[in-house]
Amino acid sequence: MRASLIASVLALAISQVTADYNQSAPFTIILLSQNSTLNGASLAACHEGAAIEGLCLAGGKFGEATQFTYNTSSPDDKTGILAYQLIGGNFNVSCPMQFSYSPSSNVAMPIIIPGTTSTLVGFDRIGRMFVMRYQDDTQPLPNNEETPQFRWYICQTYYGYPYQTLVWTVGIKAPQNPTCVSAQPVRVFV
Ligand SMILES: *[C@@H]1O[C@H](CO)[C@@H](O)[C@H](O)[C@H]1NC(C)=O
Ligand SMILES: *[C@@H]1O[C@H](CO)[C@@H](O)[C@H](O)[C@H]1NC(C)=O
Ligand SMILES: *[C@@H]1O[C@H](CO)[C@@H](O)[C@H](O)[C@H]1NC(C)=O
Ligand SMILES: *[C@@H]1O[C@H](CO)[C@@H](O)[C@H](O)[C@H]1NC(C)=O
């Protein structure tokens, strides 16, 4: 009896971790950029460490454009989880994208790691990926708002390897990494 109670508590805990999401159809992410090398390029998940992926330019050793999905927990959600199916020898797990921040940089790196921590993103009417701003701290606070922000770049980064990856700039200033080139990710359903 006690064992079955523990088992059902565990089952409840697990069912709460795997929350009830609506998963979108699969899509790839392409870049819009004034830089002709980057314009039209696609993103591919790339190995940055054990079960850690960055978002690299597709092609060459990184292969084809990766397919992602978008998880929301209510039809009214303006933001949700960018999800990637990480498949290995003995695992097949849907992983969320989260930003990796460094206190000494305004360049944050989107990475994909198994778990439940994510950085929420949204997609506007034409599929452009954004991060929602809820407070504008350049103005007197509080000033609740919901304003999509588009601060994406492709830069030479080093999380586990020297790659060209998608990054997010924290704040309104230009990225301090001098290799960054402005590029807007857009989802394209497959
Ligand atoms: C265009 O982007 C590529 C790849 O990031 C970069 O090597 C090149 O310097 C960029 N060109 C310009 C004019 O910014
Ligand atoms: C999933 O989508 C369906 C159809 O739009 C909707 O009825 C349902 O409430 C959604 N569920 C969640 C968890 O968003
Ligand atoms: C991985 O899991 C997904 C979702 O459950 C499934 O659609 C897919 O076929 C699986 N892939 C492999 C290689 O097992
Ligand atoms: C996305 O939603 C699907 C369907 O509910 C779920 O199986 C998967 O674990 C979710 N992935 C993430 C990263 O939340």
Side-chain angles (χ1 to χ4, degrees), residues 5-178:
L5 178 66
I6 290 169
S8 58
V9 167
L10 265 177
L12 181 67
I14 289 166
S15 73
Q16 278 172 346
V17 169
T18 55
D20 192 18
Y21 290 118
N22 266 347
Q23 191 163 28
S24 77
F27 54 86
T28 59
I29 298 180
I30 63 148
L31 300 173
L32 292 182
S33 176
Q34 288 182 353
N35 177 304
S36 58
T37 310
L38 299 178
N39 193 40
S42 306
L43 296 181
C46 53
H47 179 84
E48 292 274 16
I52 304 175
E53 312 289 314
L55 295 177
C56 288
L57 294 179
K61 65 179 168 181
F62 301 126
E64 298 291 295
T66 294
Q67 292 188 11
F68 302 91
T69 57
Y70 178 58
N71 276 7
T72 47
S73 43
S74 144
D76 301 328
D77 283 1
K78 291 172 184 151
T79 58
I81 297 168
L82 181 66
Y84 166 71
Q85 202 74 26
L86 184 66
I87 298 173
N90 52 356
F91 55 88
N92 176 2
V93 57
S94 176
C95 301
M97 183 281 287
Q98 62 175 282
F99 287 172
S100 169
Y101 301 96
S102 164
S104 60
S105 179
N106 71 340
V107 169
M109 265 188 77
I111 52 164
I112 297 162
I113 299 188
T116 54
T117 306
S118 63
T119 300
L120 297 179
V121 294
F123 294 92
D124 74 4
R125 213 165 281 198
I126 59 168
R128 295 183 302 171
M129 187 160 75
F130 63 81
V131 170
M132 196 72 95
R133 184 174 71 193
Y134 297 100
Q135 299 273 356
D136 179 2
D137 69 355
T138 69
Q139 302 299 322
L141 293 168
N143 55 21
N144 300 335
E145 62 168 12
E146 281 189 351
T147 311
Q149 302 292 302
F150 304 89
R151 298 179 188 164
W152 306 103
Y153 295 82
I154 294 289
C155 315
Q156 198 69 42
T157 62
Y158 192 96
Y159 185 93
Y161 299 91
Y163 290 155
Q164 266 192 305
T165 65
L166 183 69
V167 312
W168 173 262
T169 304
V170 180
I172 59 173
K173 298 278 169 66
Q176 66 185 56
N177 175 331

